[in-house]
Amino acid sequence: MSDTEARGERIAKFLSRAGISSRRDAEAMILAGRVKLNNEPVTHPAMFVKPGDMVLVDGKPVNEPERSRLWRYHKPDGLVTTHKDPEGRPTVFEKLPEDMPRVISVGRLDLTSEGLLLLTNDGALARELELPTTGWLRRYRVRVHGGVNPEVLKRLENGITVEGVKYGPITAGIDSVQRSNTWLHMSLKEGKNREIRRVMQALNLPVTRLIRVAYGPFQLGNLPRGAVEEVNGKILREQIPFLRGK
């Protein structure tokens, strides 16, 4: 047995892999006194969990992390990507099938955005897939109000700063024009909060519809609105080096 195996796994990572929350949120839960290890309060996220230890969150036992799994979900608009919304709006997680395990999202789509949302039971995997260094393109279909000059879109290729926030390179092009609206395709690697909406507003092109059609190698395809479908485990490991050997 290696020293790492004998020592166990940091509890924040354990909770993240168990799909309870992201590692950062797990640390906040620990600091709030919501986590116990073998019936003793956990006071620091660097405490270690060993095989056979009992972990409780809000008094409820946490099962050993399962194998990493990933689902494609076709998010409708009108849902927030959070487990609990203080404003009482309907959430993505309330609309998932009852037989789904506890999952967290890979990034987010805002209330009025639609399309592909990846879900996983592994918080460490979610974090890995969200990192810009992973290099995965997020691809979107975007409807804006008004006509679009292609030269304006070229301004996005080298990044743009909006209200003090610097956004990375965005590739964009025109797909079609319908009356007073223009459909665009847009691709980016970082995906900051409401990035496309804020960038397009800065170009005086307000977004009236936004649909994510791909996240890295995973595509929305013909997945029906509101449907969820698990990614085959073999395909998952082929596409994500992070999981190889796990």
Side-chain angles (χ1 to χ4, degrees), residues 146-163:
V148 178
N149 183 338
E151 294 301 316
V152 171
L153 298 180
K154 287 186 178 180
R155 292 172 51 190
L156 303 177
E157 293 179 357
N158 296 317
I160 185 173
T161 298
V162 179
E163 297 180 350

Side-chain angles (χ1 to χ4, degrees), residues 14-15 17-20 55 60-66:
F14 176 90
L15 292 172
R17 287 204 307 112
I20 297 299
V55 178
K60 298 179 181 179
V62 178
N63 294 327
E64 287 281 337
E66 298 181 355

Side-chain angles (χ1 to χ4, degrees), residues 184-238:
L184 310 173
H185 58 266
M186 301 184 71
S187 301
L188 52 97
K189 288 186 177 181
E190 191 166 5
K192 291 179 179 176
N193 185 37
R194 298 180 64 83
E195 178 168 345
I196 289 178
R197 295 183 187 277
R198 289 173 174 166
V199 165
M200 298 311 288
Q201 186 65 49
L203 298 181
N204 295 314
L205 294 169
V207 171
T208 58
R209 194 172 179 191
L210 190 152
I211 307 168
R212 182 154 63 198
V213 296
Y215 195 112
F218 304 106
Q219 301 187 36
L220 180 64
N222 295 321
L223 189 66
R225 179 183 172 92
V228 60
E229 183 175 279
E230 185 169 4
V231 176
N232 177 275
K234 181 175 183 293
I235 293 174
L236 185 61
R237 281 158 181 77
E238 288 174 349

Side-chain angles (χ1 to χ4, degrees), residues 102-203:
R102 181 180 173 86
V103 293
I104 58 177
S105 63
V106 178
R108 297 189 176 193
L109 286 173
D110 63 32
L111 178 69
T112 55
S113 296
E114 313 164 48
L116 180 64
L117 183 66
L118 297 180
L119 306 171
T120 179
N121 64 337
D122 185 339
L125 174 59
R127 177 60 180 156
E128 178 73 14
L129 300 188
E130 289 169 353
L131 292 173
T133 51
T134 303
W136 277 4
L137 278 179
R138 287 86 152 157
R139 295 193 289 113
Y140 301 82
R141 291 193 67 225
V142 182
R143 187 180 69 191
V144 297
H145 182 69
V148 178
N149 183 338
E151 294 301 316
V152 171
L153 298 180
K154 287 186 178 180
R155 292 172 51 190
L156 303 177
E157 293 179 357
N158 296 317
I160 185 173
T161 298
V162 179
E163 297 180 350
V165 178
K166 186 174 182 180
Y167 297 102
I170 298 175
T171 301
I174 298 172
D175 285 336
S176 63
V177 179
Q178 299 174 348
R179 298 182 181 178
S180 59
N181 296 310
T182 303
W183 278 99
L184 310 173
H185 58 266
M186 301 184 71
S187 301
L188 52 97
K189 288 186 177 181
E190 191 166 5
K192 291 179 179 176
N193 185 37
R194 298 180 64 83
E195 178 168 345
I196 289 178
R197 295 183 187 277
R198 289 173 174 166
V199 165
M200 298 311 288
Q201 186 65 49
L203 298 181

Side-chain angles (χ1 to χ4, degrees), residues 22-90:
S22 67
R23 196 177 306 187
R24 180 178 299 176
D25 287 344
E27 292 174 355
M29 293 165 65
I30 289 166
L31 294 176
R34 297 172 56 191
V35 182
K36 288 185 177 182
L37 175 61
N38 297 327
N39 286 321
E40 295 293 329
V42 175
T43 58
H44 195 280
M47 293 181 72
F48 289 89
V49 180
K50 298 177 182 178
D53 283 346
M54 180 174 65
V55 178
L56 302 175
V57 174
D58 296 331
K60 298 179 181 179
V62 178
N63 294 327
E64 287 281 337
E66 298 181 355
R67 65 176 177 85
S68 299
R69 300 168 69 186
L70 189 75
W71 290 261
R72 295 183 304 124
Y73 173 61
H74 187 160
K75 177 194 175 295
D77 64 353
L79 300 179
V80 290
T81 311
T82 184
H83 284 276
K84 292 183 180 179
D85 181 59
E87 299 179 33
R89 295 171 297 183

